[in-house]
Amino acid sequence: MKTKFLVLTIAFLSLTLSSFTISKNQVVSGVYDGVEDTNYVFTITKGDKTERMEFNYLSEDVFENFDLDSDELIGTSFTITYEKEKEMIVNDDGEDEEVEYLTITKLSVNN
Protein backbone atom coordinates (compact mmCIF):
# COMPACT_ATOMS: atom_id res chain seq x y z
CA MET A 1 0.00 0.00 0.00
CA LYS A 2 2.80 2.42 0.91
CA THR A 3 4.66 1.52 -2.27
CA LYS A 4 1.60 2.13 -4.43
CA PHE A 5 1.04 5.50 -2.74
CA LEU A 6 4.71 6.46 -3.22
CA VAL A 7 4.66 5.50 -6.92
CA LEU A 8 1.46 7.49 -7.50
CA THR A 9 2.87 10.50 -5.66
CA ILE A 10 6.09 10.45 -7.69
CA ALA A 11 4.14 10.06 -10.94
CA PHE A 12 1.85 12.96 -10.05
CA LEU A 13 4.76 15.23 -9.10
CA SER A 14 6.60 14.34 -12.30
CA LEU A 15 3.60 15.23 -14.42
CA THR A 16 2.91 18.41 -12.46
CA LEU A 17 6.48 19.67 -12.44
CA SER A 18 7.10 18.83 -16.09
CA SER A 19 3.92 20.56 -17.23
CA PHE A 20 5.39 24.06 -17.07
CA THR A 21 8.70 25.82 -17.62
CA ILE A 22 9.78 29.36 -16.78
CA SER A 23 12.30 31.45 -18.71
CA LYS A 24 13.45 34.35 -16.56
CA ASN A 25 14.65 37.86 -17.28
CA GLN A 26 14.34 38.32 -21.00
CA VAL A 27 14.70 41.97 -22.09
CA VAL A 28 13.25 43.81 -25.09
CA SER A 29 12.50 47.42 -26.02
CA GLY A 30 9.14 48.42 -27.37
CA VAL A 31 6.44 51.05 -27.74
CA TYR A 32 3.31 50.64 -25.66
CA ASP A 33 0.13 50.21 -27.75
CA GLY A 34 -2.41 49.80 -24.95
CA VAL A 35 -4.60 47.06 -23.49
CA GLU A 36 -6.42 44.53 -25.67
CA ASP A 37 -8.49 41.70 -24.21
CA THR A 38 -6.80 42.19 -20.79
CA ASN A 39 -3.31 41.87 -22.36
CA TYR A 40 -0.70 44.64 -22.37
CA VAL A 41 0.41 45.11 -26.00
CA PHE A 42 3.78 46.46 -27.18
CA THR A 43 5.34 46.85 -30.62
CA ILE A 44 8.85 45.43 -30.47
CA THR A 45 11.50 46.28 -33.08
CA LYS A 46 14.39 43.88 -33.60
CA GLY A 47 16.71 45.14 -36.32
CA ASP A 48 14.48 45.80 -39.31
CA LYS A 49 11.65 43.55 -38.10
CA THR A 50 8.69 44.68 -36.06
CA GLU A 51 6.55 42.33 -33.99
CA ARG A 52 3.69 42.66 -31.59
CA MET A 53 4.03 41.19 -28.10
CA GLU A 54 1.15 40.67 -25.71
CA PHE A 55 1.94 40.40 -22.01
CA ASN A 56 -0.59 38.68 -19.78
CA TYR A 57 0.52 39.83 -16.34
CA LEU A 58 2.39 42.58 -14.48
CA SER A 59 4.53 42.16 -11.39
CA GLU A 60 3.31 44.01 -8.32
CA ASP A 61 6.11 46.59 -8.68
CA VAL A 62 5.21 47.35 -12.32
CA PHE A 63 1.51 47.49 -11.46
CA GLU A 64 2.14 50.00 -8.66
CA ASN A 65 4.45 52.27 -10.69
CA PHE A 66 2.86 52.31 -14.18
CA ASP A 67 -0.82 52.79 -14.97
CA LEU A 68 -0.88 50.75 -18.17
CA ASP A 69 -4.67 50.62 -18.06
CA SER A 70 -4.88 54.34 -18.90
CA ASP A 71 -4.31 55.81 -22.36
CA GLU A 72 -1.67 58.18 -20.97
CA LEU A 73 1.31 55.88 -21.66
CA ILE A 74 0.27 54.79 -25.17
CA GLY A 75 3.13 55.61 -27.57
CA THR A 76 5.76 55.58 -24.80
CA SER A 77 8.98 53.64 -25.47
CA PHE A 78 9.96 51.20 -22.71
CA THR A 79 12.64 48.68 -21.84
CA ILE A 80 10.70 45.59 -20.77
CA THR A 81 12.06 42.79 -18.61
CA TYR A 82 9.79 39.77 -18.58
CA GLU A 83 9.43 36.11 -17.73
CA LYS A 84 7.93 33.52 -20.04
CA GLU A 85 6.01 30.60 -18.57
CA LYS A 86 4.91 27.67 -20.69
CA GLU A 87 2.32 25.30 -19.33
CA MET A 88 0.71 22.18 -20.71
CA ILE A 89 -3.06 22.15 -20.31
CA VAL A 90 -5.83 19.87 -21.50
CA ASN A 91 -8.06 21.74 -23.95
CA ASP A 92 -11.82 21.34 -24.43
CA ASP A 93 -11.21 18.49 -26.88
CA GLY A 94 -9.24 16.54 -24.26
CA GLU A 95 -5.92 17.11 -26.03
CA ASP A 96 -2.70 18.45 -24.52
CA GLU A 97 -1.99 22.03 -25.52
CA GLU A 98 0.94 24.30 -24.67
CA VAL A 99 -0.02 27.75 -23.39
CA GLU A 100 2.47 30.59 -22.98
CA TYR A 101 2.12 33.37 -20.40
CA LEU A 102 4.30 36.50 -20.38
CA THR A 103 4.74 38.52 -17.18
CA ILE A 104 6.39 41.95 -17.14
CA THR A 105 8.71 41.97 -14.11
CA LYS A 106 10.42 45.34 -14.71
CA LEU A 107 9.56 48.34 -16.85
CA SER A 108 11.56 51.51 -17.50
CA VAL A 109 10.86 54.47 -19.79
CA ASN A 110 13.40 54.97 -22.59
CA ASN A 111 14.69 58.52 -23.05
Side-chain angles (χ1 to χ4, degrees):
M1 181 70 175
K2 287 182 182 180
T3 305
K4 195 181 277 189
F5 177 74
L6 182 60
V7 169
L8 289 174
T9 301
I10 290 172
F12 175 75
L13 287 174
S14 296
L15 287 173
T16 303
L17 295 176
S18 65
S19 67
F20 70 92
T21 57
I22 297 176
S23 302
K24 292 191 175 197
N25 298 330
Q26 299 182 45
V27 179
V28 294
S29 291
V31 175
Y32 184 56
D33 296 328
V35 178
E36 292 181 19
D37 298 324
T38 70
N39 294 316
Y40 302 95
V41 181
F42 291 80
T43 298
I44 309 299
T45 303
K46 295 179 182 178
D48 61 346
K49 293 185 180 184
T50 300
E51 76 178 77
R52 173 183 154 112
M53 287 186 76
E54 295 184 10
F55 296 88
N56 311 95
Y57 303 106
L58 305 175
S59 70
E60 186 175 334
D61 183 53
V62 172
F63 180 78
E64 290 175 357
N65 289 297
F66 296 94
D67 185 8
L68 295 179
D69 291 320
S70 77
D71 292 342
E72 210 171 286
L73 294 173
I74 291 176
T76 303
S77 178
F78 289 97
T79 298
I80 307 151
T81 304
Y82 68 98
E83 292 180 352
K84 182 187 315 185
E85 179 180 340
K86 292 183 180 183
E87 181 178 1
M88 292 301 290
I89 64 167
V90 177
N91 65 20
D92 293 338
D93 297 327
E95 299 173 355
D96 288 341
E97 180 180 334
E98 185 176 79
V99 178
E100 180 177 275
Y101 301 102
L102 302 178
T103 301
I104 299 174
T105 57
K106 184 178 178 186
L107 198 59
S108 58
V109 176
N110 295 333
N111 294 326

